Each structure stands twice: as C-alpha cells, then as structure tokens.
Amino acid sequence: MYLAKVYVTLKPTVNDPQGITVLGGLKSLGFDSVEEVRVGKYLEVRIAAPERSQAEAKVTEMCRELLANPVIEEFRFELEEASPRPGG
Amino acid sequence: MYLAKVYVTLKPTVNDPQGITVLGGLKSLGFDSVEEVRVGKYLEVRIAAPERSQAEAKVTEMCRELLANPVIEEFRFELEEASPRPGG
C-alpha cells in the first residue's frame, strides 16, 4: 500500500483568477505584506501496489489522464509506504 | 521575501465527496488498485517579511482567518526564502 501526495499547480504562465481573488481577500483583511497567491490542488491517493515503481507508474498515469489538465497544469507527487487505512 | 507552501486538508473524520467522485472517476478509467482519494487545497503565498518568524506568524494568521475553515479543515505550511517574483 502506498500513499501518493499529489500537487497539481497551474503552469507559471497561466493566469490564476482564484489566486487573485484570495489575494484580494487577504489584502482586505489587512494582510498588506502578501504579494502573490497561486492556488492549486493537493490530493492524497492510496493505492495498492506490490512495488514502488509500479505505484509510481500508476500515479503518473492517473495524473496524465484525470488529476491534472496537461494544457494548463503541471503535477508532481511524493510516494510513501502506508499502512492500510483504518477499518479498510 | 518568503514563499509559503500551504496545504489545506479536510480533517480525517470529515466526509470528502470530491475525493469520492475522483475515486469513482479513476476506477471507471480502469485504475482498480486505487483505494482512497482525498482532495485538499495547495496554495503558494508570497509574502514580504524581514524575518522568518514574522512570515510564519502572518501565514498562520492567514490560514486561521481565510485560507482554511477551522471547523472542517486543518492546515500546515512550509516556508522558504524566495527571490522577488519575476517582473514584480
């Protein structure tokens, strides 16, 4: 069992309206020292695989096919060995 | 200038319909080995601060006041020194 921590972020050149909105919110709350906010996704994926290399290949495939939009987003992930989920 | 990488996740006991939907999507694409998906937010916040401790305090405050919903979410962040943003 592996736990993949997947980070999906917009490519640096892509405009991020959600980040701009959060930045505005922070400024209006008085956080004047904030300069930029970019918002991405963070996913934790539990996957059964006998070996790390297989888990890695699967997670890469998942990111390419569903978790990230390759046109505007990029992804990276960390893989760690995990115990089966509680009660699972 | 500091760059805070903020991770906002649902508390472990909170139901995650978005994660369940992604899990369903992965399964229907043939990823049978996936057992669980949980979806969170990942934010990159650039903040001007003379010292690390001040940046840390500010980011904690931001998380408490806007970035995370303390009722159902928890947050953690990493702080790294950053160069001013390109063209900024």
Side-chain angles (χ1 to χ4, degrees), chain A residues 7-17 19-20 36-41 63-64 67-76, chain B residues 42 44 46 86:
Chain A
Y7 310 89
V8 179
T9 48
L10 287 169
K11 288 180 183 174
T13 50
V14 175
N15 196 26
D16 179 8
I20 292 168
E36 189 184 20
V37 178
R38 295 200 49 101
V39 180
K41 280 175 288 182
C63 289
R64 292 210 176 119
L67 305 182
N69 175 352
V71 179
I72 55 167
E73 292 173 328
E74 50 197 21
F75 66 87
R76 63 194 163 83
Chain B
Y42 169 69
E44 291 183 347
R46 263 174 207 279

Side-chain angles (χ1 to χ4, degrees), chain B:
Chain B
M1 178 75 66
Y2 288 90
L3 173 66
K5 297 180 171 182
V6 182
Y7 310 89
V8 180
T9 48
L10 286 170
K11 289 180 183 174
T13 51
V14 175
N15 196 25
D16 179 8
Q18 197 183 351
I20 293 168
T21 303
V22 173
L23 177 65
L26 288 171
K27 295 255 188 209
S28 76
L29 284 172
F31 294 104
D32 300 318
S33 51
V34 189
E35 308 245 324
E36 191 185 19
V37 178
R38 294 198 55 96
V39 180
K41 280 174 287 183
Y42 169 69
L43 296 103
E44 291 183 347
V45 179
R46 263 174 207 279
I47 178 169
E51 275 178 49
R52 172 174 286 266
S53 61
Q54 290 174 32
E56 237 172 61
K58 278 289 174 202
V59 175
T60 305
E61 235 184 290
M62 284 177 210
C63 289
R64 291 211 178 117
E65 288 187 31
L66 185 75
L67 305 182
N69 175 351
V71 179
I72 55 166
E73 292 174 327
E74 51 196 20
F75 65 87
R76 63 193 163 81
F77 62 87
E78 295 151 12
L79 210 58
E80 56 190 52
E81 270 189 82
S83 50
R85 70 184 147 157

Side-chain angles (χ1 to χ4, degrees), chain A residues 33-67:
Chain A
S33 51
V34 189
E35 308 246 324
E36 189 184 20
V37 178
R38 295 200 49 101
V39 180
K41 280 175 288 182
Y42 169 67
L43 296 104
E44 290 183 346
V45 179
R46 262 174 208 281
I47 178 170
E51 274 178 49
R52 171 173 288 266
S53 61
Q54 291 175 32
E56 238 173 60
K58 278 288 173 202
V59 175
T60 305
E61 235 183 290
M62 286 177 208
C63 289
R64 292 210 176 119
E65 288 187 30
L66 185 75
L67 305 182

